[in-house]
Amino acid sequence: MPRLTERSLQRYSRQILLKEVGGSGQQRLMDATVLVVGVGGLGSPAALYLAASGVGRLILADGDAVERSNLGRQVIHTTDSIGQNKVRSAARTIRALNPEIEIVPVERHVDRESLPALVERSDLVLDGSDAFSVRYLANAVCHQLGRPYVFGAVSGFEGQVGVSLSGVESGSPCYRCLFPSVPQPGEEHPTCAAAAVLGPLPGVIGTMQATEALKILLRIGTPLAGALMLFNALDGITRRIGFSADPGCSVCGAPVESNTPGGQAS
Amino acid sequence: MTRHDDTLGVILAGGSARRMQHREKALIELDGRPLLRHVQDRLAPQVSQVVISANGDPNRLAFSNSRVIADLRDDRPGPLAGMEAVMTAVDAPWYLFVPTDTPFLPRDLCTTLHHAAGDPATVAIAASGIHSHYAVGIWPRSALTAIQAALDAGSHALRDLLAEHPHRLGRFAISSTGIDPLFNINRPADLARADALLTPENRKVDRPMATLLYFAWIREKIGTASEQITLPDEVDTVAALMGFLRGRGDRYADALKGEQIRVAVNQVHAQPDDRIGNGDEIAIFPPVSGG
């Protein structure tokens, strides 16, 4: 990983001035790899700010092409990039912003087969996907492989953001501790399915996700672990909902003994 | 509010009401109902059942549909004789005694007194502000012997018995608007004051309130991000609240169906049987998936 050059120090000077960051913190970011799943509404600001802040390597994964309807909020893409794979489009914007960082492009959606290897190569996973199935998958893989998992979601005028450190800290809850039942397609509210959202909302939430990622990488502050942030932009209401690990969680709960007395199968 | 099945509720209605011009307090009307009815309505949900300690013609209290128990001794005025008579007539582990002139009895009177009674449990008397209210308290069955001994010795004042008998105090807060829940009616002026306190505006102060916050599609379907509600007596858990909300109409039923919905009480994720109460903020939110 590159050492901080004079130009890097200028680039990141405002951040380095923070006593919680300093030169050593900045170097830590330079040495870090973050997997950003999805470069859409949430992934756009997240990837931009992670790049701007000097995370040394970004693995970007997305199988979609840029569409005109994305440009109302997915600010990493440009009109020129319509039709291009989103990762390729994002990489171009990021390179123009900060050529010092390395981009590892994965021009496909992650899935059960491909995700573990990508997580293995990362220090942290930031989820910018728009499907519950990906969230539950990423939450589980991050737990199994011991990586911090930063999740977020938007709908309408609202957003949610939080962190799972279940794979990193014993007793810390995961996403599934709070939302144990996976919504089936069709059970989701129409607004979610139609993806109606006010432009800046994913910007707010995705940027908060990037902030959480930086906190975790820098080991500063209190990450939103066991604390779901609810944000209602329309009415100006934010709440930080505390929740604890569920011992019966199917992802991070206590392992079930397969040979329990009485011969019960697990 | 919890119903304590081990506690018999007893309304002490034997007082002579000298200061109320000898009108029987139990029958004095407040807001169109006898005072005894006000006390009974507050007491009944908290105890196994309610009985009345009173002398004279029991039919005058027939409207209460409660058993009326007369004193065993006719030469000992005062609440001790009434307490003895009830404890002798009805066997219960605990007795919650209240007078008939406290129309604003707290909904958590029994629970608070039981907590105050401690371990090992003693008599617990209610207190508010700087006053102890001797006639408002829970007594274990074992205290009957002490009551009988006091009566045998010629005493009839609760205050004198409590000066000797170990007891603890269960404290009740005077509301922010100065309403003492153990306010009792002694003089005609008190009756007028009680009547004034029962106006709808004041009624609201006395009732438990909660703030509800709705998020995402729940907010959209219900039509508001937040609202304040009065908590009905039986709505004292998260599950009870959800049932109550769903019953408010189609918008609520539609918004709150499904098992994905999460509830947080005072910003902590809560389970269905977690308790809710006055002043709580309850956030109701679903998982969201947009990205």
Side-chain angles (χ1 to χ4, degrees), chain B residues 17-78:
Chain B
R18 281 186 299 275
R19 283 168 290 179
M20 291 298 289
Q21 294 133 9
H22 290 283
R23 293 158 68 200
E24 182 169 13
K25 272 201 211 176
L27 302 180
I28 291 174
E29 294 225 332
L30 171 68
D31 192 35
R33 294 178 291 150
L35 270 183
L36 184 133
R37 193 84 220 194
H38 284 265
V39 174
Q40 185 182 19
D41 287 348
R42 295 263 176 145
L43 184 61
Q46 307 186 42
V47 294
S48 60
Q49 60 167 321
V50 174
V51 301
I52 300 170
S53 163
N55 300 302
D57 177 13
N59 288 324
R60 76 192 189 286
L61 301 173
F63 64 86
S64 68
N65 289 320
S66 292
R67 180 175 169 189
V68 179
I69 298 169
D71 293 356
L72 295 170
R73 310 175 195 234
D74 55 16
D75 60 345
R76 293 278 180 268

Side-chain angles (χ1 to χ4, degrees), chain A residues 41-42 129-130 132 135 153-155 158 160 178-181 187-189 191 228 232 234-235 239-243, chain B residues 213-217 219-221 225-226 259-260 262-264 267-269 281 283 285-291:
Chain A
L42 297 170
S129 72
D130 60 1
F132 279 119
R135 279 199 189 72
V154 288
S155 172
E158 300 202 23
Q160 299 179 354
L178 182 60
F179 295 117
S181 48
E187 271 183 21
E188 298 184 36
H189 183 257
T191 300
L228 181 74
N232 169 357
L234 191 63
D235 300 284
R239 286 297 185 272
R240 190 175 179 277
I241 307 297
F243 65 100
Chain B
L213 297 180
Y214 306 119
F215 289 88
W217 77 70
R219 174 183 57 75
E220 287 174 42
K221 289 191 170 185
S226 75
E259 29 165 74
Q260 275 87 36
R262 295 280 82 85
V263 179
Q267 302 201 54
V268 177
H269 175 223
E281 178 189 90
F285 58 96
V288 167
S289 78

Side-chain angles (χ1 to χ4, degrees), chain B:
Chain B
M1 178 192 334
T2 309
R3 181 186 299 279
H4 293 260
D5 290 319
D6 63 351
T7 304
L8 180 75
V10 186
I11 303 178
L12 297 166
S16 66
R18 281 186 299 275
R19 283 168 290 179
M20 291 298 289
Q21 294 133 9
H22 290 283
R23 293 158 68 200
E24 182 169 13
K25 272 201 211 176
L27 302 180
I28 291 174
E29 294 225 332
L30 171 68
D31 192 35
R33 294 178 291 150
L35 270 183
L36 184 133
R37 193 84 220 194
H38 284 265
V39 174
Q40 185 182 19
D41 287 348
R42 295 263 176 145
L43 184 61
Q46 307 186 42
V47 294
S48 60
Q49 60 167 321
V50 174
V51 301
I52 300 170
S53 163
N55 300 302
D57 177 13
N59 288 324
R60 76 192 189 286
L61 301 173
F63 64 86
S64 68
N65 289 320
S66 292
R67 180 175 169 189
V68 179
I69 298 169
D71 293 356
L72 295 170
R73 310 175 195 234
D74 55 16
D75 60 345
R76 293 278 180 268
L80 282 181
M83 292 163 71
E84 178 199 37
V86 170
M87 291 170 90
T88 304
V90 185
D91 191 351
W94 286 91
Y95 302 83
L96 171 54
F97 294 104
V98 299
T100 190
D101 58 6
T102 46
F104 304 126
L105 281 185
R107 284 169 178 75
D108 59 353
L109 177 69
C110 196
T111 300
T112 303
L113 289 174
H114 270 294
H115 281 142
D119 182 20
T122 66
V123 173
I125 301 296
S128 64
I130 57 170
H131 298 294
S132 298
H133 301 268
Y134 305 115
V136 184
I138 53 167
W139 294 67
R141 179 160 186 78
S142 56
L144 176 56
T145 40
I147 292 170
Q148 286 168 328
L151 286 163
D152 290 343
S155 166
H156 59 264
L158 255 179
R159 187 187 311 122
D160 296 336
L161 173 59
L162 285 168
E164 308 282 316
H165 195 89
H167 62 280
R168 298 194 175 100
L169 294 181
R171 295 195 184 276
F172 294 88
I174 295 176
S175 81
S176 55
T177 53
I179 297 172
D180 181 348
L182 299 170
F183 168 73
N184 73 316
I185 294 170
N186 280 320
R187 301 160 304 168
D190 295 333
L191 190 62
R193 178 149 191 262
D195 195 58
L197 289 171
L198 282 175
T199 58
E201 289 71 38
N202 301 110
R203 231 182 272 269
K204 248 196 281 186
V205 172
D206 204 25
R207 307 274 271 248
M209 304 280 298
T211 303
L212 300 175
L213 297 180
Y214 306 119
F215 289 88
W217 77 70
I218 297 169
R219 174 183 57 75
E220 287 174 42
K221 289 191 170 185
I222 290 177
T224 182
S226 75
E227 59 177 330
Q228 279 227 309
I229 63 165
T230 303
L231 291 172
D233 291 342
E234 67 279 8
V235 177
D236 58 354
T237 63
V238 168
L241 174 68
M242 295 304 280
F244 168 70
L245 290 174
R246 289 186 188 109
R248 283 177 122 202
D250 288 342
R251 279 181 303 141
Y252 287 86
D254 190 32
L256 299 175
K257 68 182 176 211
E259 29 165 74
Q260 275 87 36
I261 290 168
R262 295 280 82 85
V263 179
V265 178
N266 300 327
Q267 302 201 54
V268 177
H269 175 223
Q271 300 299 334
D273 50 9
D274 284 345
R275 305 200 75 80
I276 59 166
N278 188 36
D280 282 345
E281 178 189 90
I282 297 147
I284 303 176
F285 58 96
V288 167
S289 78

Side-chain angles (χ1 to χ4, degrees), chain A residues 42-85:
Chain A
L42 297 170
S44 290
L48 271 174
Y49 276 102
L50 291 176
S53 301
V55 172
R57 181 188 289 137
L58 293 178
I59 307 176
L60 307 179
D62 202 315
D64 284 341
V66 177
E67 295 173 14
R68 194 174 298 272
S69 63
N70 298 149
L71 296 176
R73 65 202 178 284
Q74 299 181 14
V75 295
I76 205 170
H77 306 303
T78 61
T79 307
D80 290 350
S81 65
I82 292 175
Q84 200 177 44
N85 172 272

